[in-house]
Amino acid sequence: MLAWFFWEGSGLPSVRNEVCQIAGLPICRVTLRGRNGPLLRWLVRRENDTLRQAGIRQGIWPSALPEGLCPALRPVEVYTLRRGLMPQMIGQAARQKGVHLSRASVRLTADGAELSVYYAARLLAERARHLQLDVGLGQHALEQWLWQRYGLSCGGEEAAMEVSFRRGRAGDALLLGEDCRRQQVEYLLPPALPIPEGEDREPLLAALFAAGRVKKDEIQVKSVHFDA
């Protein structure tokens, strides 16, 4: 179970929770009311204890929630969802940028050649004309693997697009790193899946995806928002 927080900044300070289900996944909806003050912060700390005792360790909450009201939970990560949909993500990013991958050079950046970076490199090697690597630790081994498997020598012309697993990378790249939520991605979902629009949509979808409540073939990447 995960906790889903809402905040209404008016009225008397209060915290209310109720358990519901979305696509069969149990969720504890927590509604905070009132101004950010000592009483509401105390109520939130008490709620944190209640959630911890119930075994809830992950949560979703609005970015506007003041620091003193943020729950003592791990945020639901969206990068697992994006990496699970990586072929779609790469394809949609290329279409939006007007990049024909079969004729283009793509840059892959990361802070280390982990398994997901290998997967991205494989997808790009199969689709792009040239692949440039800047993946830090393990790059030489990845280059050797690409050469042995695809006969691909990394390099080529200036990159028309970047796929990045690197923290803090600018949003003109397709972001797949652990801090990628700052780049908005929109999805088309089955009509029967009751996930409302808004900033909580992607983490909620990621939680459902991780729990096996929604499958890859039920999700369509609609658009990726780039800074430039």
Side-chain angles (χ1 to χ4, degrees):
M1 186 184 297
L2 63 88
W4 189 10
F5 280 73
F6 300 83
W7 180 41
E8 301 171 6
S10 60
L12 295 175
S14 67
V15 176
R16 179 174 58 85
N17 65 53
E18 60 178 342
V19 176
C20 63
Q21 287 195 357
I22 297 181
L25 180 69
I27 293 175
C28 182
R29 291 175 57 105
V30 182
T31 302
L32 314 180
R33 287 194 176 92
R35 295 175 59 188
N36 179 18
L39 177 55
L40 185 56
R41 289 196 293 269
W42 178 81
L43 290 171
V44 169
R45 288 195 296 271
R46 190 177 67 172
E47 182 68 17
N48 283 332
D49 292 339
T50 300
L51 295 173
R52 193 160 41 245
Q53 291 168 10
I56 297 175
R57 298 292 182 266
Q58 281 191 300
I60 300 169
W61 55 91
S63 57
L65 194 63
E67 184 176 351
L69 302 182
C70 289
L73 300 170
R74 289 183 288 108
V76 173
E77 300 289 357
V78 303
Y79 70 87
T80 53
L81 172 66
R82 297 190 185 188
R83 294 179 187 183
L85 299 172
M86 203 184 301
Q88 276 201 63
M89 297 288 296
I90 291 173
Q92 180 61 33
R95 282 190 293 273
Q96 286 184 220
K97 286 180 171 288
V99 173
H100 297 279
L101 290 174
S102 62
R103 304 198 297 269
S105 178
V106 179
R107 187 168 184 250
L108 177 61
T109 62
D111 293 319
E114 59 180 77
L115 185 60
S116 293
V117 175
Y118 268 77
Y119 180 39
R122 191 196 87 188
L123 291 174
L124 293 170
E126 292 172 349
R127 299 181 180 199
R129 182 179 181 182
H130 298 292
L131 176 59
Q132 300 176 11
L133 294 181
D134 180 8
V135 300
L137 185 65
Q139 176 164 320
H140 180 68
L142 178 55
E143 290 174 342
Q144 291 293 107
W145 180 79
L146 288 168
W147 172 254
Q148 292 168 5
R149 182 159 184 173
Y150 298 100
L152 177 67
S153 180
C154 296
E157 61 195 38
E158 183 179 354
M161 175 176 135
E162 179 179 347
V163 176
S164 183
F165 292 77
R166 187 165 285 161
R167 279 185 170 273
R169 183 65 183 90
D172 58 340
L174 172 62
L175 303 184
L176 300 175
E178 294 183 9
D179 63 343
C180 65
R181 189 180 173 186
R182 56 200 172 82
Q183 180 180 63
Q184 185 182 353
V185 175
E186 297 180 31
Y187 302 90
L188 294 176
L189 304 176
L193 195 59
I195 302 182
E197 298 286 348
E199 66 170 324
D200 295 340
R201 196 171 201 239
E202 189 178 22
L204 187 54
L205 178 60
L208 293 170
F209 180 75
R213 306 292 180 173
V214 59
K215 308 299 183 184
K216 288 182 185 180
D217 58 6
E218 297 179 285
I219 307 170
Q220 181 179 341
V221 179
K222 180 182 177 182
S223 65
V224 180
H225 290 231
F226 295 102
D227 289 349

